[in-house]
Coordinates of all heavy atoms in Angstrom, one line a residue:
R22 N 108.0 89.3 111.4 CA 108.4 89.4 112.8 C 107.4 88.5 113.7 O 107.9 87.9 114.7 CB 108.5 90.8 113.3 CG 109.1 91.0 114.7 CD 109.1 92.5 115.1 NE 107.8 92.9 115.6 CZ 107.3 92.7 116.9 NH1 108.0 92.1 117.7 NH2 106.1 93.1 117.2
T23 N 106.2 88.6 113.3 CA 105.1 87.8 114.0 C 104.3 87.1 112.9 O 104.6 87.3 111.8 CB 104.2 88.6 114.9 OG1 103.5 89.5 114.0 CG2 105.0 89.6 115.7
N24 N 103.3 86.5 113.2 CA 102.4 85.7 112.3 C 101.6 86.7 111.5 O 101.1 86.4 110.4 CB 101.5 84.8 112.9 CG 102.2 83.6 113.7 OD1 103.2 83.2 113.1 ND2 101.7 83.1 114.7
T25 N 101.6 88.0 111.8 CA 100.8 89.0 111.2 C 101.6 90.2 110.7 O 101.2 91.0 109.9 CB 99.5 89.4 111.9 OG1 100.1 90.0 113.2 CG2 98.6 88.4 112.1
E26 N 102.8 90.4 111.4 CA 103.7 91.6 111.1 C 104.8 91.2 110.0 O 105.6 90.5 110.5 CB 104.0 92.2 112.4 CG 105.0 93.5 112.3 CD 105.5 94.0 113.6 OE1 104.8 93.9 114.5 OE2 106.6 94.5 113.6
V27 N 104.8 91.9 109.0 CA 105.7 91.5 107.9 C 106.4 92.8 107.6 O 105.8 93.8 107.3 CB 105.1 90.9 106.7 CG1 106.1 90.6 105.6 CG2 104.4 89.6 107.1
W28 N 107.8 92.7 107.5 CA 108.6 93.8 107.0 C 109.2 93.6 105.7 O 109.7 92.4 105.5 CB 109.8 94.2 108.0 CG 109.3 94.5 109.4 CD1 108.3 94.1 110.1 CD2 109.8 95.6 110.2 NE1 108.2 94.8 111.4 CE2 109.1 95.7 111.5 CE3 110.9 96.4 110.0 CZ2 109.3 96.6 112.3 CZ3 111.3 97.4 111.0 CH2 110.5 97.4 112.1
V29 N 109.2 94.6 104.8 CA 109.7 94.4 103.4 C 110.6 95.7 103.2 O 110.3 96.7 103.5 CB 108.6 94.5 102.4 CG1 109.2 94.5 101.0 CG2 107.6 93.4 102.6
T30 N 111.9 95.3 102.7 CA 112.9 96.4 102.3 C 112.7 96.7 100.9 O 112.7 95.8 100.0 CB 114.2 96.0 102.6 OG1 114.6 94.8 101.8 CG2 114.4 95.8 104.1
N31 N 112.6 98.0 100.7 CA 112.3 98.6 99.2 C 113.6 99.2 98.8 O 114.0 100.3 99.2 CB 111.2 99.5 99.1 CG 109.9 98.9 99.8 OD1 109.5 97.9 99.4 ND2 109.4 99.6 100.9
F32 N 114.3 98.5 97.8 CA 115.7 98.9 97.4 C 115.6 100.3 96.7 O 116.4 101.1 97.0 CB 116.1 98.0 96.3 CG 117.6 98.1 95.9 CD1 118.7 97.7 96.5 CD2 117.7 98.8 94.6 CE1 120.0 98.0 96.1 CE2 119.0 99.1 94.2 CZ 120.1 98.6 94.8
L33 N 114.7 100.5 95.8 CA 114.6 101.8 95.1 C 114.1 102.9 95.9 O 114.4 104.2 95.7 CB 113.8 101.7 93.8 CG 114.1 102.8 92.8 CD1 115.4 103.2 92.5 CD2 113.2 102.5 91.5
S34 N 113.0 102.7 96.8 CA 112.5 103.7 97.6 C 113.2 104.0 98.9 O 112.8 105.0 99.5 CB 111.0 103.2 97.9 OG 110.2 103.0 96.8
D35 N 114.2 103.4 99.2 CA 115.1 103.6 100.3 C 114.1 103.6 101.6 O 114.2 104.5 102.4 CB 115.8 105.0 100.2 CG 116.7 105.0 99.1 OD1 117.1 104.0 98.7 OD2 117.3 106.1 98.8
S36 N 113.3 102.7 101.6 CA 112.3 102.6 102.8 C 112.1 101.1 103.2 O 112.4 100.1 102.5 CB 111.0 103.3 102.2 OG 110.4 102.5 101.2
V37 N 111.3 101.0 104.2 CA 110.9 99.7 104.7 C 109.3 99.8 104.9 O 108.8 100.6 105.5 CB 111.5 99.4 106.0 CG1 110.9 98.1 106.6 CG2 113.0 99.1 105.8
S38 N 108.6 98.8 104.2 CA 107.2 98.9 104.5 C 106.8 97.7 105.5 O 107.2 96.6 105.3 CB 106.4 98.4 103.1 OG 106.7 99.3 102.1
I39 N 106.1 98.2 106.5 CA 105.6 97.3 107.5 C 104.0 96.8 107.1 O 103.3 97.7 107.1 CB 105.7 97.7 108.9 CG1 107.0 98.2 109.2 CG2 105.1 96.8 110.0 CD1 107.2 98.9 110.5
V40 N 103.8 95.5 106.8 CA 102.6 95.2 106.4 C 101.7 94.3 107.4 O 102.3 93.4 108.1 CB 102.7 94.2 105.1 CG1 101.3 93.7 104.6 CG2 103.6 95.1 104.1
D41 N 100.6 94.7 107.7 CA 99.8 93.9 108.6 C 98.9 92.9 107.7 O 98.0 93.2 107.0 CB 98.7 94.7 109.2 CG 97.9 94.0 110.3 OD1 98.0 92.8 110.3 OD2 97.0 94.7 111.0
I42 N 99.3 91.6 107.7 CA 98.7 90.6 106.9 C 97.5 89.9 107.5 O 96.9 89.1 106.9 CB 99.8 89.5 106.4 CG1 100.2 88.7 107.6 CG2 100.9 90.1 105.7 CD1 101.0 87.4 107.2
G43 N 97.4 90.4 108.8 CA 96.2 89.8 109.6 C 95.0 90.7 109.3 O 93.8 90.3 109.6
A44 N 95.1 91.9 108.8 CA 94.1 92.8 108.5 C 93.2 92.3 107.2 O 93.7 91.5 106.4 CB 94.5 94.1 108.3
S45 N 92.1 92.8 107.1 CA 91.2 92.4 106.0 C 90.8 93.7 105.3 O 89.9 94.3 105.8 CB 90.0 91.5 106.4 OG 89.3 91.2 105.3
P46 N 91.4 94.0 104.1 CA 92.4 93.3 103.5 C 93.8 93.7 104.1 O 93.9 94.7 104.8 CB 92.3 93.8 102.0 CG 91.9 95.2 102.2 CD 90.9 95.2 103.4
P47 N 94.8 92.8 103.8 CA 96.3 93.2 104.3 C 96.6 94.5 103.7 O 96.4 94.8 102.5 CB 97.0 92.1 103.7 CG 96.1 90.9 103.6 CD 94.8 91.6 103.2
H48 N 97.2 95.2 104.4 CA 97.8 96.6 104.0 C 99.0 97.1 104.6 O 99.3 96.6 105.8 CB 96.6 97.6 104.1 CG 96.2 97.8 105.4 ND1 95.3 97.1 106.1 CD2 96.6 98.8 106.4 CE1 95.1 97.4 107.4 NE2 95.9 98.5 107.5
V49 N 99.7 98.1 104.2 CA 100.8 98.7 104.8 C 100.4 99.6 105.9 O 99.5 100.6 105.7 CB 101.6 99.5 103.8 CG1 102.9 100.2 104.4 CG2 102.3 98.6 102.7
V50 N 100.9 99.5 107.1 CA 100.5 100.2 108.2 C 101.6 101.3 108.6 O 101.3 102.2 109.4 CB 100.2 99.3 109.4 CG1 99.0 98.5 109.1 CG2 101.4 98.4 109.8
R51 N 102.8 101.1 108.2 CA 103.9 102.0 108.5 C 104.9 101.9 107.5 O 105.3 100.9 106.9 CB 104.4 101.7 109.9 CG 105.4 102.8 110.5 CD 104.7 104.0 110.8 NE 105.5 105.1 111.1 CZ 106.0 105.4 112.4 NH1 105.5 104.6 113.4 NH2 106.8 106.5 112.7
T52 N 105.6 103.1 107.0 CA 106.7 103.2 106.2 C 107.9 103.9 106.9 O 107.7 105.0 107.4 CB 106.5 103.9 104.9 OG1 105.3 103.3 104.2 CG2 107.6 104.0 104.0

């Protein structure tokens, strides 16, 4: 969505992971 906010759809988990790739280290910030 932005240069640091990335969304991933998880087929088996029935969820969406929102990843902050600008953080150190990058990590999931919301499910």
Side-chain angles (χ1 to χ4, degrees):
R22 194 182 76 85
T23 71
N24 292 327
T25 59
E26 182 184 324
V27 175
W28 293 45
V29 177
T30 60
N31 305 307
F32 182 86
L33 189 56
S34 294
D35 295 347
S36 66
V37 175
S38 299
I39 302 179
V40 183
D41 182 358
I42 65 172
S45 183
H48 60 276
V49 175
V50 294
R51 187 72 186 267
T52 298

